[in-house]
Amino acid sequence: MKADQAAVLVADEYIYKQETHLTVFKTSLFFQNDGFTVYNCRGELVFRVDSYGPDTRDKDELVLMDAHGKCLLTVRRKRPSLHNRWEGYSGERTDGQKPIFSVRRSSIIGRSSVTVEMYENPGEEYQIEGNFGQRSCTIFNAMKELVAEIRRKVDASTQVLLGKDVFLLSVKPGFDGAFAMGLVLVLDQINGDNYVESNGGRVDPVTED
């Protein structure tokens, strides 16, 4: 996918011209105003998610914001849904607003890949494969091209593998970084952090330059 061919889902500024590594911090669920904070390679805050707490009602709808608190994207759990379907909305969702994409498990049995469907372009679809609980996922477009990755992060100075609450979201040129982070929010809800493959799972950590 080339940058000049990208379809903007959230905003032009999140369509990167080169591969971009974002560092994602997931904060504890035991404190108020917990959620996610996302930084670029210069240490600048790019995205944040607040009000992500232990209350079940909070988990049914999550809002991705920019560094200044502007609402970029809302993801909302669709109930009832056998496939654990979530839907995404532009900006802060309002009553009657139509979703622009959906995310669902490909199968209701066992661990499966995740399918992302774009409502405004039926031919555009993404598949998410891997194990989010181990922070090892790949996102492919309909042409099986890699558009984003989720990987464990290694401290560049000490070469120590960091905990699962700190990980990398690598976004390929032309793919919407805010959309990618919205998918991370859904994956966190669909898969959670408690799933571990029976064989231990192979994790390929990434060291950021």
Side-chain angles (χ1 to χ4, degrees):
M1 181 184 295
K2 297 180 180 179
D4 57 359
Q5 296 174 336
V8 177
L9 184 67
V10 178
D12 285 305
E13 62 187 287
Y14 303 116
I15 302 290
Y16 305 115
K17 294 182 179 180
Q18 58 186 10
E19 183 171 2
T20 299
H21 300 297
L22 301 173
T23 299
V24 182
F25 291 82
K26 182 180 179 183
T27 57
S28 171
L29 297 180
F30 297 100
F31 298 95
Q32 188 176 8
N33 294 325
D34 42 24
F36 288 91
T37 52
V38 184
Y39 297 85
N40 61 22
C41 62
R42 297 181 296 276
E44 299 166 338
L45 181 65
V46 181
F47 306 119
R48 75 175 204 247
V49 179
D50 298 332
S51 300
Y52 178 90
D55 192 322
T56 302
R57 292 173 299 177
D58 294 335
K59 295 185 178 183
D60 282 343
E61 185 168 294
L62 304 173
V63 178
L64 178 70
M65 297 179 288
D66 68 8
H68 306 289
K70 177 183 176 181
C71 298
L72 302 174
L73 195 66
T74 301
V75 292
R76 186 171 188 257
R77 187 193 307 269
K78 186 175 183 180
R79 295 183 181 274
S81 174
L82 291 176
H83 290 268
N84 205 343
R85 182 186 294 270
W86 286 68
E87 292 182 320
Y89 300 80
S90 179
E92 186 172 10
R93 187 187 69 86
T94 58
D95 290 340
Q97 182 179 354
K98 293 183 179 180
I100 56 177
F101 67 89
S102 73
V103 185
R104 62 175 176 81
R105 293 177 64 92
S106 302
S107 172
I108 62 175
I109 301 175
R111 188 169 72 90
S112 65
S113 62
V114 174
T115 299
V116 183
E117 299 172 338
M118 312 303 294
Y119 288 142
E120 296 182 358
N121 185 2
E124 186 178 0
E125 185 176 286
Y126 300 93
Q127 289 292 130
I128 306 175
E129 300 177 359
N131 183 347
F132 181 77
Q134 292 295 322
R135 305 298 188 252
S136 179
C137 290
T138 50
I139 304 175
F140 298 95
N141 62 18
M143 296 177 287
K144 298 298 182 181
E145 296 172 330
L146 179 66
V147 295
E149 290 184 279
I150 297 165
R151 288 285 183 269
R152 295 284 296 275
K153 184 173 182 177
V154 174
D155 185 277
S157 60
T158 63
Q159 297 300 305
V160 173
L161 184 66
L162 300 178
K164 295 177 186 176
D165 288 344
V166 184
F167 57 95
L168 282 180
L169 173 61
S170 298
V171 183
K172 298 294 184 180
F175 193 64
D176 192 318
F179 177 42
M181 188 58 207
L183 297 179
V184 169
L185 300 184
V186 176
L187 288 172
D188 185 60
Q189 291 299 308
I190 290 179
N191 296 295
D193 290 336
N194 297 321
Y195 182 87
V196 178
E197 292 183 3
S198 58
N199 63 1
R202 178 170 178 263
V203 177
D204 296 318
V206 173
T207 302
E208 185 177 5
D209 295 332

